[in-house]
Amino acid sequence: MVSRVRTVAFQGIEAVPVDVQVMIAPGKVGMHIVGLPDKAVAESRERVQAALHASGLSMPAKKVTVNLAPADLPKEGSHYDLPIALCLMAGLGAIPADALDGFLVLGELSLDGTISAVAGALPAAIGANALGKGLICPHDCGPEAAWAGRDFDILAPRSLIAIANHFRGTQILTRPEASVHPAATNLPDLADIKGQESAKRALEVAAAGGHNLLLIGPPGSGKSMLAQRLPSILPPLSPRELLEVSMVTSIAGELAGGKLTNRRPFRAPHHSASMAAMVGGGLRIKPGEVSLAHNGVLFLDELPEFSPAALDSMRQPLEAGECIIARANHRVTYPARFQLVAAMNPCRCGMAGEPGYRCARGPRCRTDYQARISGPLLDRIDLRIEVPAVTASDLIRPAQAEASAAVAERVARARDIQRQRYEGLGLPHITTNANCTTALIETITAPDAAGLSLMRDAADKLGFSARAYHRVLKVARTLADLDGAETVGRIHLAESISYRMSAERLQQAA
């Protein structure tokens, strides 16, 4: 007799159904797992046997064969423990044979029979709901799985004994409730930063339109402080964005306590991060920093210190909004629509361009340092702002700077204008000007005659690429939205071009 139960394998953020089949038959005593299991799945044999023994069940003195179908799909992870154990229990008669027909199962077993949390409960729950099945998952994953919907069954037991008692009718497992982390109230505030009004303006524009931003300045000028305060002025995640972010976080195993949060991701990897850490990959393919920052911010401090390969690997995700990881036996796609914010010193010594300072290495110090960043990557950064050293008068000024709450209100109004515009055009998946297509941005920007003349002259003199031209239009559209203006005027284009001029000077220096 063959017992069956459904579980899943993960390909990107998609849950692929897997059929777990267990046969107990005469033969050499032992348990064998087939179906392309990795090391974690193969070791589940020992965990399952120990957990069954701790729960008062003994393995039969027969040959036990576990097949994970389809057999040509690689199986990775420890979440196969629970479906294998429940399938065995059904074969031994410890639970009714048909009890598992309507459920999809995942979970890791401890040696004492308790069920530990696993990654991917939310995508698995969404997959189970799509198949018209319920879900059996660890107790700690229950609040996460409950976000997949209210119209399907979810059982979140703490142990094998609890799930066996539930199916025998001696104990009832209640459906877990979806939970959310409370809104953060201790985010760093822009009011802490004295001076740097131009940089604060650029930060507001970047937040309003979802534009990429590069801060250039000497050490101690406040570049990192500015970037760390960007989350305090960004709007919360919409329900659709919340689900997308949580699915990536769940696959990565970073969804703490099964609770979701509407706070936008803010990832700040160290500059020693490898290419696989940035875009994803590894022996067991997992999402990288660009995917974990989906619908949020990826902050790269000391930008030139990152390896050129790691930086250039972000060029395709920046343009396409997704990261495709191709291997000989894998092809996985993760969403990666993130906002890049970077900070860097102008040269290796950090003081190039500062009044009264002369570098011992001369101009070569600056050019060699900035040449570590490729031109195609720089071309994808919309806003470039120089952050000078803070003066003594700024530090001792008694007046407090504008708080993040006031800036966040203006950013929220601008984003509402953009959302309504694109919904009216039948494009609800576009939420910011930065994500607008090149054909559409020319239509919705449509500057006046004076603006067109300015744009033509700037493009000729600065040598804008086609990408740079459209990105200038996108920033100008955001500036008009911040002002509540229907038409993009010459003043908006002039400010947008000024942010791009810093970029062109940097490319020429490199």
Side-chain angles (χ1 to χ4, degrees), residues 347-434:
C347 66
R348 183 165 295 282
C349 63
M351 302 300 293
E354 286 300 300
Y357 181 82
R358 183 175 180 179
C359 181
R361 298 182 66 227
R364 188 182 182 90
C365 179
R366 180 179 216 151
T367 56
D368 288 352
Y369 193 64
Q370 295 177 356
R372 292 176 60 86
I373 308 170
S374 68
L377 179 61
L378 288 173
D379 203 36
R380 289 168 167 81
I381 299 180
D382 307 336
L383 305 172
R384 205 70 52 83
I385 189 73
E386 295 180 0
V387 185
V390 181
T391 63
S393 59
D394 289 328
L395 293 174
I396 63 177
R397 185 175 58 185
Q400 191 177 33
E402 187 177 29
S404 291
V407 180
E409 290 181 3
R410 296 196 295 268
V411 169
R413 285 196 297 269
R415 290 226 177 183
D416 283 340
I417 292 173
Q418 295 168 56
R419 178 180 52 79
Q420 293 171 11
R421 175 189 300 124
Y422 296 121
E423 284 182 353
L425 294 171
L427 301 169
H429 62 282
I430 300 178
T431 56
T432 60
N433 291 326

Side-chain angles (χ1 to χ4, degrees), residues 183-399:
T185 58
N186 58 346
L187 293 176
D189 199 286
L190 280 174
D192 302 333
I193 299 177
K194 299 180 179 180
Q196 306 297 11
E197 299 304 325
S198 297
K200 291 179 184 176
R201 168 66 173 174
L203 198 70
E204 180 180 343
V205 175
H211 302 290
N212 301 326
L213 171 67
L214 176 61
L215 304 165
I216 310 168
S221 57
K223 305 183 296 297
S224 299
M225 287 185 66
L226 283 161
Q228 290 164 359
R229 280 149 182 78
L230 180 58
S232 67
I233 62 175
L234 288 172
L237 292 166
S238 67
R240 179 180 60 82
E241 292 174 330
L242 173 64
L243 187 62
E244 292 176 356
V245 170
S246 300
M247 288 179 71
V248 177
T249 311
S250 177
I251 288 292
E254 297 189 7
L255 206 56
K259 295 182 179 180
L260 276 58
T261 175
N262 63 355
R263 178 179 170 185
R264 293 185 180 273
F266 183 85
R267 306 288 300 188
H270 190 261
H271 57 73
S272 62
S274 65
M275 184 170 68
M278 295 299 295
V279 298
L283 183 62
R284 292 178 56 194
I285 295 181
K286 284 199 170 186
E289 294 292 336
V290 297
S291 297
L292 293 170
H294 180 59
N295 287 328
V297 178
L298 177 65
F299 175 48
L300 303 183
D301 203 2
E302 307 296 347
L303 182 66
E305 300 298 332
F306 284 82
S307 73
L311 291 178
D312 287 336
S313 67
M314 296 189 300
R315 283 154 53 177
Q316 184 263 343
L318 276 170
E319 205 69 25
E322 63 180 12
C323 187
I324 301 174
I325 304 168
R327 298 292 184 268
N329 59 346
H330 277 296
R331 190 179 186 277
V332 176
T333 301
Y334 290 111
R337 192 166 297 282
F338 61 97
Q339 181 179 2
L340 175 64
V341 178
M344 61 176 285
N345 298 327
C347 66
R348 183 165 295 282
C349 63
M351 302 300 293
E354 286 300 300
Y357 181 82
R358 183 175 180 179
C359 181
R361 298 182 66 227
R364 188 182 182 90
C365 179
R366 180 179 216 151
T367 56
D368 288 352
Y369 193 64
Q370 295 177 356
R372 292 176 60 86
I373 308 170
S374 68
L377 179 61
L378 288 173
D379 203 36
R380 289 168 167 81
I381 299 180
D382 307 336
L383 305 172
R384 205 70 52 83
I385 189 73
E386 295 180 0
V387 185
V390 181
T391 63
S393 59
D394 289 328
L395 293 174
I396 63 177
R397 185 175 58 185

Side-chain angles (χ1 to χ4, degrees), residues 91-128:
L92 295 172
I95 58 176
D98 59 348
L100 303 173
D101 291 346
F103 289 94
L104 188 147
V105 185
L106 77 164
E108 178 184 333
L109 288 176
S110 299
L111 298 184
D112 60 356
T114 57
I115 305 172
S116 303
V118 292
L122 180 57
I126 294 173

Side-chain angles (χ1 to χ4, degrees), residues 401-481:
E402 187 177 29
S404 291
V407 180
E409 290 181 3
R410 296 196 295 268
V411 169
R413 285 196 297 269
R415 290 226 177 183
D416 283 340
I417 292 173
Q418 295 168 56
R419 178 180 52 79
Q420 293 171 11
R421 175 189 300 124
Y422 296 121
E423 284 182 353
L425 294 171
L427 301 169
H429 62 282
I430 300 178
T431 56
T432 60
N433 291 326
N435 297 332
C436 181
T437 62
T438 55
L440 183 58
I441 195 62
E442 294 180 355
T443 303
I444 63 175
T445 302
D448 53 22
L452 281 174
S453 177
L454 174 65
M455 193 66 186
R456 186 180 299 109
D457 293 342
D460 290 341
K461 292 179 181 178
L462 296 174
F464 285 163
S465 65
R467 180 185 290 114
Y469 171 80
H470 288 111
R471 287 181 180 266
V472 168
L473 292 181
K474 291 179 182 180
V475 174
R477 180 67 265 176
T478 299
L479 290 167
D481 292 338

Side-chain angles (χ1 to χ4, degrees), residues 69-146:
D72 60 347
L73 177 69
K75 317 302 188 304
E76 300 176 344
S78 59
H79 65 275
Y80 294 95
D81 292 2
L82 185 57
I84 292 174
L86 291 182
C87 214
L88 260 172
M89 292 171 70
L92 295 172
I95 58 176
D98 59 348
L100 303 173
D101 291 346
F103 289 94
L104 188 147
V105 185
L106 77 164
E108 178 184 333
L109 288 176
S110 299
L111 298 184
D112 60 356
T114 57
I115 305 172
S116 303
V118 292
L122 180 57
I126 294 173
N129 197 5
L131 293 171
K133 291 182 175 291
L135 180 74
I136 300 175
C137 66
H139 181 270
D140 293 340
C141 297
E144 170 188 346

